[in-house]
């Protein structure tokens, strides 16, 4: 499967609808679901005495960590398998010995996954600062001032609200100069753009495979710099979190694996592996170029006063100002188009993937004309 066209042909959901909501969920190819189903059959039917289902599952965990690490440019011991981006961020929030007066900074562009854990910490006396932005852009001077005494800074690499790319490496450097840890929500990146954690330099990166990678729900991943991991002590601990589960004293597993807890269905991680293999086979550069072309075609057809994303798209996420967004989503669904409305900005968001076509973009623009 070496092209977006071949990938599209393997996604049953695209046979009956024009799907444009990959920023929320990407429908999976048959081969991804088949891999998960085969794993489930083997694990539940075949891996019984004298076989060992635990040994099989742990082999899959180990293999998936290696696959994810290679995909992100990380070391294997810097990867933890989670169920979602949200789970990864929440786990990190609970692994720091917060003190009253500590400061957390995030932008006003964050998904609730990057907001709610910090709101919870406010009950314990942690100060939460929000950097306000304009049109999906961050003012570096305001950001620099906000993080000057922060303990942790959390921001998205690619905003779910506008589809804009934040200057991750620069923001990380500014936070590090202030002595703060950095946590990047990267969930909108894997599957549509390259992601090399060494280029970003962030201490922690959280993401998942059920969006642009077209994997299954329940397979997230967390990158934690090896040195930083040794300073973190997760609140939730299980037999996968520690070096020796039966030891008299708790000793966390080395690296990021301390963020894994207990029994988890291995099938979703087999699916994640397969999704990454497909993405690699098609080529991230090929996917990125096609997304850029299709999103550009969409953006060019939207009136300037209606387009809330950049005229030259920075991702497949294109946000559009329409009257009554929720009702507009329903009307578009009646016409066979799957998009979503956003709480902020009050608009609809179209998520364009490489598996979409020019004809679908043109048809959507024709229908959207009635919305403005």
């Amino acid at each position: 499967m070496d092209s977006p066209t071949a990938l599209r042909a393997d996604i049953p959901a695209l046979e009956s609808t024009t799907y444009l909501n990959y920023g929320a969920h990407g429908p999976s190819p048959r081969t991804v679901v088949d891999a998960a189903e085969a794993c489930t059959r083997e694990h539940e039917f075949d891996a019984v005495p004298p076989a060992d289902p635990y040994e099989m599952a742990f082999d899959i965990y180990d293999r998936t960590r290696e696959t994810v690490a290679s995909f992100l440019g990380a070391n294997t011991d810097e990867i933890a398998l989670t169920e979602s981006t949200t789970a990864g961020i929440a786990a990190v929030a609970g692994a720091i010995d917060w003190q009253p007066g500590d400061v957390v900074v995030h932008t006003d562009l964050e998904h609730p996954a990057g907001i709610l854990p910090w709101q919870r910490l406010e009950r314990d006396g942690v100060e939460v600062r929000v950097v306000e932005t304009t049109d999906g852009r961050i003012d570096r001077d305001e950001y620099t001032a906000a993080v000057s005494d922060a303990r942790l800074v959390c921001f998205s690499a690619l905003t779910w609200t506008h589809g804009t790319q934040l200057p991750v490496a620069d923001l990380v450097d500014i936070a590090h100069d202030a002595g703060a840890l950095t946590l990047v929500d990267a969930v909108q990146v894997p599957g549509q753009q390259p992601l090399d954690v060494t280029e970003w330099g962030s201490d922690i990166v959280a993401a998942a495979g059920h969006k642009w990678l077209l994997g299954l729900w329940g397979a997230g991943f967390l990158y934690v710099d090896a040195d930083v991991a040794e300073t973190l002590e997760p609140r939730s601990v299980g037999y996968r979190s520690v070096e020796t589960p039966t030891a008299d004293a708790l000793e966390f597993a080395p690296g990021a694996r301390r963020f894994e807890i207990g029994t988890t269905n291995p099938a979703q991680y087999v699916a994640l592996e397969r999704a990454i293999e497909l993405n690699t086979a098609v080529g991230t550069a090929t996917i990125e170029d096609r997304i850029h072309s299709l999103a550009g075609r969409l953006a060019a057809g939207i009136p300037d006063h209606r387009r809330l994303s950049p005229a030259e798209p920075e991702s497949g996420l294109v946000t559009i100002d329409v009257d009554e967004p929720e009702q507009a989503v329903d009307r578009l669904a009646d016409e066979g188009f799957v998009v979503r409305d956003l709480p902020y900005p009050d608009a609809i968001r179209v998520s364009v993937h490489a598996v979409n076509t020019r004809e679908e973009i043109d048809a959507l623009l024709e229908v959207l004309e009635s919305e403005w």
Side-chain angles (χ1 to χ4, degrees):
M1 198 170 299
D2 57 0
S3 71
T5 301
L7 185 58
R8 176 189 175 90
D10 198 44
I11 303 176
L14 304 186
E15 297 171 2
S16 58
T17 189
T18 301
Y19 192 86
L20 295 159
N21 194 24
Y22 297 90
H25 159 70
S28 297
R30 288 183 180 88
T31 184
V32 169
V33 175
D34 288 347
E37 290 180 343
C39 173
T40 298
R41 286 194 298 271
E42 182 180 1
H43 188 259
E44 300 303 328
F45 294 159
D46 302 333
V48 295
D52 186 343
Y54 282 89
E55 181 177 345
M56 176 186 170
F58 273 72
D59 285 346
I60 291 170
Y61 301 152
D62 291 343
R63 193 177 68 224
T64 304
R65 282 192 219 96
E66 292 175 0
T67 299
V68 172
S70 177
F71 188 62
L72 301 183
N75 295 320
T76 303
D77 63 357
E78 295 175 316
I79 300 299
L81 302 179
T82 64
E83 66 182 35
S84 64
T85 307
T86 301
I89 294 174
V92 171
I96 298 173
D97 60 334
W98 300 101
Q99 302 298 318
D102 283 345
V103 175
V104 172
V105 176
H106 66 79
T107 77
D108 63 359
L109 299 170
E110 303 313 309
H111 185 273
I115 296 175
L116 295 173
W118 322 125
Q119 290 181 339
R120 168 63 182 85
L121 289 174
E122 285 184 300
R123 299 181 179 182
D124 299 326
V126 173
E127 178 185 349
V128 178
R129 294 179 190 156
V130 181
V131 178
E132 296 184 359
T133 59
T134 303
D135 298 330
R137 304 294 186 195
I138 192 165
D139 184 289
R140 298 194 192 198
D141 290 337
E142 292 184 11
Y143 171 84
T144 301
V147 307
S148 62
D149 57 350
R151 185 158 187 194
L152 182 142
V153 180
C154 177
F155 60 86
S156 296
L158 202 164
T159 65
W160 74 301
T161 54
H162 295 76
T164 49
Q165 294 183 30
L166 296 189
V168 176
D170 290 347
L171 298 182
V172 166
D173 285 345
I174 292 169
H176 282 172
D177 287 345
L181 287 172
T182 53
L183 195 172
V184 176
D185 178 343
V187 73
Q188 296 293 344
V189 179
Q192 70 160 325
Q193 294 178 358
L195 199 174
D196 187 328
V197 294
T198 61
E199 293 182 359
W200 283 353
S202 181
D203 301 300
I204 305 159
V205 178
H210 67 278
K211 297 181 186 288
W212 303 90
L213 275 173
L214 311 179
L216 302 188
W217 285 37
F221 42 94
L222 183 69
Y223 160 82
V224 186
D225 174 84
D227 292 335
V228 172
E230 299 306 313
T231 71
L232 303 175
E233 297 192 356
R235 293 285 184 90
S236 296
V237 181
Y239 68 89
R240 289 171 60 198
S241 315
V242 297
E243 187 66 23
T244 305
T246 56
D248 292 335
L250 183 151
E251 180 183 354
F252 284 107
R257 191 162 58 85
R258 65 188 58 202
F259 286 99
E260 299 181 15
I261 301 172
T263 304
T264 305
N265 185 354
Q268 61 219 31
Y269 298 115
V270 169
L272 176 60
E273 282 187 274
R274 184 61 181 139
I276 290 174
E277 290 171 359
L278 291 178
N279 185 269
T280 303
V282 175
T284 303
T286 297
I287 291 171
E288 183 180 28
D289 288 347
R290 182 165 175 81
I291 288 175
H292 184 267
S293 174
L294 293 174
R297 189 181 188 93
L298 174 61
I302 302 170
D304 289 346
H305 69 286
R306 291 288 188 177
R307 188 185 59 251
L308 303 181
S309 294
E312 184 69 21
E314 298 172 15
S315 69
L317 301 169
V318 180
T319 303
I320 306 167
D321 181 22
V322 298
D323 299 331
E324 300 179 326
E326 290 186 19
Q327 290 82 353
V329 168
D330 291 339
R331 288 191 292 271
L332 287 167
D334 291 340
E335 298 290 337
F337 299 93
V338 179
V339 301
R340 69 156 293 173
D341 62 285
L342 295 175
Y344 170 80
D346 190 20
I348 64 170
R349 188 190 69 191
V350 179
S351 304
V352 181
H353 201 292
V355 296
N356 289 121
T357 66
R358 295 186 184 91
E359 291 76 16
E360 288 176 331
I361 299 303
D362 293 344
L364 175 65
L365 285 169
E366 184 176 348
V367 174
L368 280 174
E369 288 182 3
S370 63
E371 298 296 332
W372 52 62

